[in-house]
Amino acid sequence: MAPGGVLLLCLVAAVLARPAQSCTPNSIRARVPVKIDPGYVISQVPLDRCGDVGLRLSSSDPHFTVNADGTIVVDVVSMVTKTRSFGVWVNTGRGPPRRVDVQLIPDSEQSAPWNQVHRRFKRRWSPLPFNIIENDLPPFPKEVELIGSDSSVNFSVYYTIHGPGVSEPPMKLFSVVRETGMVTVNGPVDREQYPKLVFEARVMDVVTGRQTDRPLDITVLVVDVNDNPPTFTGSMNFHIEEQSSPGQEVGVVTATDRDQQGTLHTMIKFTLLTGNQLFNIHPKTGMITTKSGTLDREVQTTIPVVVEIRDMNGGRTGLFNTATATVRLVDINDNPPTFTQTVLKARVEENRADVLVLRIPVEDRDQVNTTNWKAKFVVVQGNENNNFRVDTDPKTNEGLLYVVKPLDHEKGKVVELVVSAQNEAPLVKTSTSWNTIPVELSVGDVDEGPEFFPLNKVIKVRENTPNGTVLGSYQALDPETKSNAGIRYFKMTDPGQWLSVGETTGELKVTNTIDLESPLVTNAMYNITVKAVDLSSKSGMGMVTLVIEDTNDNVPELVDKVLVLCEIEDQKGSVTVTAHDADILPYSSPFNFQLAEEAQRKWRLRDAQNTSVVLEQAVDMVRGEYKVPLRITDLQDKGGVQVVTVRVCRCLGGQCVANRSSVSVGAWGVLAVLLAVAMLLMLCLLFVFVCNSMGEKKYMDESGGGMLLQSNTEAPGEEVKSSDLLMLPTLGGMDTKDSGGMGLLDQNENMSHLTMGQQNVHQSGRRDFMTSVQHQNSFYSSGGGHYQGGANYSDLLYQKQANLSMLNTWETNKLYLEEKLDYFGGGLDVCHGHDLTHAYQYEGEGSAAGSVGCCSGIDDSDGLEFLETLGPKFKTLASICLNKQDSE
């Protein structure tokens, strides 16, 4: 299109639009103070030519309000420090709303006459923000504003827009007439979603397509309309104590409005539709408070209150909502328990304890199972002796009256009580008090056993009172007859057997030593239990308490008789001597300590206390133990001399060094002891081994060159030629079989001799072997092959020869030789050590045998001819030995 055509269209459009704009000016300028207070009238939009039907006015700035007559009024305190602009929208209902620009100029700026209304001036390329109405009604599109650039004077231009509301969400909401720059809105927009839209406008050369001016940001403000009713937020459940005084805060109702804040659209007013007689609500804050002090939970537990919230500050055109707030009344203890009856009666047998007598029902209007409802019962009268107890049944809240101490019919047939019903919580905000009820208990009569009076008899007695002393009597009475006839008395407990009780008289007599210091005494008191039995075998128990008075029967004794005094360099040491007296005041401490005269040269006393004194060195002393005699007496000067042992030594850790070393053995010391024991055991084993090795092989004599060996030969050797050879029994086994020799002893006697020989060998040791054998047995000499025997024994052999059984010769000789070799294995010195003078049977004078000793044949160089001179008893032995010698 040619530029001329475009211009023509613009003129036509201006002419067509003029009638719609003719009723209001395009702009208003007003001079105002820097600070504008609410209610200040800025200016007025002339509406004379707009008519009154369907006319609606609104302001784009929430700080200002436009009245129906066009008056612009300040609604919120504002500061105008520089030129400030906003728009007033005028909607006549006959076309799109028109905008009247309002400019506020502070007093310091003088640009135009005061409050003068001007016509619209030529808009430049940088226009002010313009507004559109939220959720405007169709038809669409509707013109919003005309934008223009000064470059259009020099160029043929067209206009484009881009950004939010055009090419970005909300898409295609705005468009522009390319040739004229008229911005139009194509549909409704929600201010709560898009309160402001900023898009970019560009002016382009029609010929070259280049920009003829810099891009321009177009700001579109969405003018709020009251399209959102207020809504409730937060909890609508509140609570307050019953009987609260007026003005008490219950809770705050909160609400919000999505419309533009700071406008009438969001100014909410709170109103109570119900509950006005009990509560108030603040119209702006929503605070609910009590109106009267008559709130009673027992009448109404919860109170519903309907609350209305309306915007436009509660105006009738405002949008509103309602909701119900619930106020719960919290219970307080303003109702005491009440009894369901006026008097209570019950019966109980005497002498019964811990029994339920009566249930006491009550009612309470307060909340169940709370401390305001739970009852507790108190016997306020008639329970001076604590015979009763009242508990509470947790399920029924009833009182349970118990008898805890037995009642006595003889003391009272009827017991009158007064019981008070109370709560666990105290009464509040009420003028009433706790209720009481009288209770009458009838005590039934039963046949009772005797009763002691008093139940516990106290007798004062001095300790060590002589046995047989009568301390008094303790008797009981029949409660029905008030007589003690026929009553017998028995002692039930008396740990020390100190008293006896007369069976018929109740006489109390001392039978054993009464000792205050006895472990049976507690706090100087000793208890004895006595039982009384009447003719009907009913019984009663009583107690006798002996209060024992002390006598001075104990003296102070040293607590520690051995004390350690540690040496201190260049100082004299000291120890504390402490004593104890089992008696009590005035027969005990404080004690008097005195040094014996002989100890005063080395010791002295100081700092005497109640039961102790410091014993200090008077002179320097060497280490050692010292006996220090001290005379210790009590308050009555009773006591004596006692000796304390003071050990003066060098200390380590409070103990003498010597003592510590004697009892403390370290790990190395224990190891050394174990090694020594192990070496000793090894030496013992070595000694046993050597001795056993020496006993296995023994040479019989130096000239023979032979040795004795163990052999299994069971028959006599060839050298035994005579069957009359007597083989002597020794320390070995016996056999009754005949082996060619003559009988010697019967079996029993042989066994007795053998047993005696074995016992002597093992008990007396090797050094006594010869002595024990020469009176009981015979042995063979291992050196020269001679037979030697005691004279007494040979006589015995001949006396018993005819009546004895035969012995197993070789087995017997084997055992004997083993014993003999074991003896000689001890060494030659031992043999000669026992070669002492012994008593033998007289053999006659001039015997060629000479002295008969244990070793007499070892070094004898003579032959065996002397055997021929021994008489007929040894003829057989002589012939055998001589034949043996001739053959060799």
Side-chain angles (χ1 to χ4, degrees):
M1 183 181 291
V6 173
L7 181 60
L8 180 62
L9 287 176
C10 290
L11 292 175
V12 172
V15 171
L16 292 176
R18 184 175 181 84
Q21 299 176 352
S22 61
C23 71
T24 59
N26 292 330
S27 64
I28 297 175
R29 300 177 68 188
R31 183 178 298 276
V32 295
V34 175
K35 179 181 179 182
I36 310 175
D37 295 324
Y40 182 85
V41 177
I42 296 176
S43 184
Q44 184 177 12
V45 179
L47 302 174
D48 299 338
R49 292 177 293 174
C50 296
D52 297 332
V53 179
L55 186 64
R56 290 189 301 170
L57 303 175
S58 62
S59 171
S60 64
D61 192 331
H63 294 81
F64 306 97
T65 301
V66 183
N67 295 330
D69 61 354
T71 303
I72 303 173
V73 181
V74 177
D75 193 36
V76 181
V77 176
S78 301
M79 300 295 294
V80 181
T81 59
K82 62 182 180 179
T83 301
R84 181 172 177 175
S85 301
F86 63 94
V88 175
W89 288 92
V90 180
N91 190 350
T92 62
R94 296 188 297 274
R98 303 305 299 172
R99 174 189 173 99
V100 178
D101 291 325
V102 179
Q103 287 186 335
L104 302 181
I105 303 172
D107 281 343
S108 58
E109 297 184 12
Q110 187 70 29
S111 299
W114 175 255
N115 289 0
Q116 181 180 0
V117 177
H118 297 273
R119 300 295 296 174
R120 180 179 178 90
F121 58 91
K122 183 179 180 181
R123 185 178 295 278
R124 297 176 299 169
W125 178 233
S126 298
L128 295 173
F130 55 86
N131 301 342
I132 61 173
I133 297 177
E134 174 188 19
N135 293 324
D136 199 2
L137 299 175
F140 293 101
K142 294 182 179 182
E143 294 181 352
V144 177
E145 188 64 84
L146 181 66
I147 59 174
S149 171
D150 294 340
S151 63
S152 61
V153 177
N154 302 319
F155 299 94
S156 295
V157 297
Y158 66 92
Y159 300 91
T160 62
I161 55 176
H162 306 277
V166 182
S167 58
E168 299 177 13
M171 302 287 290
K172 300 181 180 180
L173 179 63
F174 297 102
S175 61
V176 64
V177 177
R178 290 169 56 90
E179 295 78 8
T180 63
M182 175 60 71
V183 177
T184 60
V185 58
N186 301 318
V189 59
D190 187 1
R191 190 205 67 84
E192 285 70 42
Q193 186 175 6
Y194 301 105
K196 182 174 71 171
L197 295 170
V198 180
F199 53 87
E200 184 182 73
R202 296 181 182 179
V203 57
M204 312 292 293
D205 189 342
V206 174
V207 177
T208 62
R210 295 181 180 179
Q211 295 187 38
T212 60
D213 205 342
R214 59 183 177 84
L216 175 67
D217 286 338
I218 305 298
T219 300
V220 179
L221 301 177
V222 181
V223 178
D224 182 48
V225 296
N226 192 18
D227 57 345
N228 292 283
T231 57
F232 291 93
T233 60
S235 175
M236 296 291 286
N237 296 316
F238 309 103
H239 64 272
I240 189 172
E241 287 187 352
E242 61 174 333
Q243 307 296 344
S244 294
S245 58
Q248 293 291 319
E249 294 182 355
V250 177
V252 177
V253 178
T254 57
T256 186
D257 196 314
R258 296 182 61 203
D259 291 324
Q260 187 172 354
Q261 297 299 312
T263 67
L264 286 174
H265 302 162
T266 57
M267 294 181 64
I268 301 173
K269 182 179 180 180
F270 298 85
T271 307
L272 290 182
L273 302 182
T274 62
N276 296 328
Q277 71 280 9
L278 299 175
F279 303 100
N280 291 323
I281 189 168
H282 194 279
K284 293 186 178 296
T285 64
M287 171 63 72
I288 300 177
T289 58
T290 57
K291 188 174 183 179
S292 67
T294 60
L295 299 176
D296 191 351
R297 191 203 67 85
E298 287 71 41
V299 175
Q300 190 175 5
T301 304
T302 59
I303 302 175
V305 178
V306 178
V307 181
E308 179 192 85
I309 50 176
R310 185 183 292 266
D311 60 15
M312 299 299 291
N313 201 20
R316 60 184 179 84
T317 60
L319 304 177
F320 66 92
N321 248 323
T322 61
T324 300
T326 301
V327 180
R328 180 175 58 86
L329 300 183
V330 178
D331 184 45
I332 63 173
N333 193 19
D334 57 343
N335 295 283
T338 58
F339 295 99
T340 59
Q341 303 178 33
T342 57
V343 63
L344 298 174
K345 296 182 179 181
R347 178 181 174 83
V348 61
E349 299 295 333
E350 66 173 337
N351 300 325
R352 297 191 63 187
D354 295 323
V355 293
L356 177 62
V357 177
L358 182 66
R359 298 182 76 92
I360 306 174
V362 294
E363 294 179 349
D364 197 313
R365 298 178 60 200
D366 290 318
Q367 188 172 353
V368 178
N369 293 327
T370 64
T371 57
N372 302 330
W373 175 84
K374 293 180 180 178
K376 66 177 182 178
F377 299 86
V378 180
V379 181
V380 296
Q381 184 177 333
N383 194 28
E384 289 74 14
N385 296 325
N386 296 321
N387 294 96
F388 303 97
R389 181 187 79 243
V390 186
D391 296 338
T392 303
D393 189 327
K395 295 182 179 179
T396 64
N397 211 29
E398 294 178 316
L400 307 177
L401 179 62
Y402 288 90
V403 175
V404 294
K405 290 183 180 179
L407 300 177
D408 191 351
H409 176 80
E410 285 71 30
K411 294 182 179 180
K413 297 180 181 180
V414 177
V415 178
E416 295 182 352
L417 305 175
V418 177
V419 178
S420 172
Q422 305 175 7
N423 291 124
E424 294 182 1
L427 289 173
V428 293
K429 297 182 180 180
T430 180
S431 59
T432 59
S433 59
W434 303 121
N435 296 315
T436 60
I437 189 171
V439 179
E440 294 182 2
L441 294 180
S442 299
V443 182
D445 187 20
V446 296
D447 187 13
E448 301 173 284
E451 295 180 354
F452 285 97
F453 185 80
L455 289 176
N456 186 7
K457 185 171 184 177
V458 179
I459 300 176
K460 291 185 178 181
V461 60
R462 293 180 65 85
E463 66 173 334
N464 301 319
T465 298
N467 292 349
T469 302
V470 177
L471 302 181
S473 62
Y474 190 35
Q475 295 182 340
L477 298 176
D478 189 309
E480 281 77 23
T481 64
K482 304 301 180 181
S483 172
N484 60 3
I487 297 177
R488 295 176 299 160
Y489 304 93
F490 303 94
K491 184 174 62 173
M492 300 303 294
T493 59
D494 184 7
Q497 302 298 320
W498 289 356
L499 296 182
S500 64
V501 180
E503 184 175 353
T504 59
T505 63
E507 183 181 64
L508 304 175
K509 186 182 294 185
V510 178
T511 59
N512 208 341
T513 302
I514 298 176
D515 186 9
L516 177 64
E517 291 77 30
S518 170
L520 303 175
V521 177
T522 303
N523 297 328
M525 290 186 293
Y526 178 80
N527 294 325
I528 300 168
T529 305
V530 181
K531 182 178 182 180
V533 182
D534 61 13
L535 295 177
S536 62
S537 298
K538 289 186 171 55
S539 62
M541 302 292 290
M543 180 177 290
V544 177
T545 298
L546 298 182
V547 178
I548 304 172
E549 298 178 354
D550 190 24
T551 60
N552 198 7
D553 56 345
N554 294 282
V555 298
E557 297 286 344
L558 287 172
V559 176
D560 294 316
K561 295 187 177 181
V562 179
L563 301 174
V564 176
L565 191 152
C566 297
E567 288 184 338
I568 303 176
E569 187 176 355
D570 298 331
Q571 294 184 21
K572 292 181 172 61
S574 63
V575 293
T576 301
V577 179
T578 305
H580 172 72
D581 195 326
D583 293 324
I584 61 177
L585 287 174
Y587 306 113
S588 59
S589 59
F591 302 139
N592 182 27
F593 296 89
Q594 292 180 351
L595 275 173
E597 185 177 355
E598 61 271 19
Q600 295 180 0
R601 296 189 300 271
K602 294 184 178 181
W603 304 91
R604 58 173 172 261
L605 300 177
R606 63 176 176 84
D607 297 339
Q609 301 296 326
N610 197 28
T611 59
S612 63
V613 70
V614 176
L615 178 64
E616 186 179 44
Q617 292 175 318
V619 297
D620 293 332
M621 300 179 185
V622 297
R623 298 173 186 172
E625 288 189 353
Y626 296 87
K627 306 293 184 181
V628 182
L630 284 173
R631 185 174 185 272
I632 308 174
T633 58
D634 58 19
L635 277 176
Q636 308 302 324
D637 200 32
K638 184 174 181 179
V641 176
Q642 301 184 50
V643 177
V644 60
T645 301
V646 180
R647 183 176 299 160
V648 180
C649 61
R650 182 169 60 88
C651 296
L652 183 61
Q655 296 183 3
C656 291
V657 175
N659 290 343
R660 290 173 59 90
S661 61
S662 63
V663 297
S664 301
V665 179
W668 291 106
V670 174
L671 181 61
V673 172
L674 294 176
L675 289 175
V677 172
M679 294 179 64
L680 182 61
L681 291 175
M682 293 178 63
L683 289 175
C684 293
L685 292 175
L686 180 62
F687 179 74
V688 172
F689 175 77
V690 172
C691 291
N692 290 339
S693 300
M694 292 178 62
E696 292 178 359
K697 181 174 68 175
K698 301 295 178 183
Y699 288 96
M700 298 303 295
D701 85 308
E702 297 176 358
S703 60
M707 63 181 178
L708 292 176
L709 300 174
Q710 295 184 2
S711 174
N712 292 329
T713 303
E714 299 179 359
E718 296 178 356
E719 68 274 11
V720 182
K721 300 295 183 66
S722 174
S723 62
D724 295 331
L725 178 62
L726 178 63
M727 306 305 292
L728 298 179
T730 59
L731 306 176
M734 295 296 183
D735 195 354
T736 58
K737 296 181 180 181
D738 185 6
S739 59
M742 63 179 63
L744 206 66
L745 297 170
D746 62 4
Q747 185 175 3
N748 293 333
E749 291 180 352
N750 290 337
M751 292 302 294
S752 66
H753 282 290
L754 291 172
T755 303
M756 292 174 63
Q758 291 171 353
Q759 291 174 351
N760 289 336
V761 169
H762 291 292
Q763 294 175 3
S764 301
R766 302 186 183 281
R767 66 178 184 273
D768 298 328
F769 179 82
M770 294 300 298
T771 305
S772 64
V773 174
Q774 65 186 356
H775 294 288
Q776 300 176 16
N777 304 320
S778 298
F779 57 85
Y780 293 98
S781 173
S782 60
H786 302 290
Y787 173 82
Q788 298 177 350
N792 294 336
Y793 189 70
S794 64
D795 292 342
L796 179 62
L797 294 178
Y798 279 100
Q799 293 174 5
K800 302 292 184 178
Q801 179 177 5
N803 299 324
L804 298 179
S805 301
M806 300 304 294
L807 304 175
N808 189 334
T809 304
W810 290 109
E811 185 177 354
T812 303
N813 289 343
K814 168 180 171 292
L815 295 173
Y816 174 78
L817 289 174
E818 287 177 351
E819 294 287 346
K820 190 68 175 180
L821 289 172
D822 189 50
Y823 170 73
F824 281 108
L828 190 60
D829 294 337
V830 178
C831 178
H832 286 286
H834 290 282
D835 191 15
L836 306 174
T837 304
H838 299 282
Y840 293 94
Q841 186 174 353
Y842 180 71
E843 298 177 353
E845 298 180 356
S847 174
S851 174
V852 182
C854 70
C855 303
S856 57
I858 295 178
D859 296 326
D860 191 2
S861 61
D862 296 336
L864 300 176
E865 290 79 10
F866 72 97
L867 293 175
E868 297 179 348
T869 64
L870 295 179
K873 297 180 179 180
F874 298 92
K875 285 294 186 180
T876 304
L877 180 61
S879 61
I880 293 174
C881 292
L882 290 175
N883 291 337
K884 174 67 176 176
Q885 187 178 28
D886 293 340
S887 64
E888 292 176 353

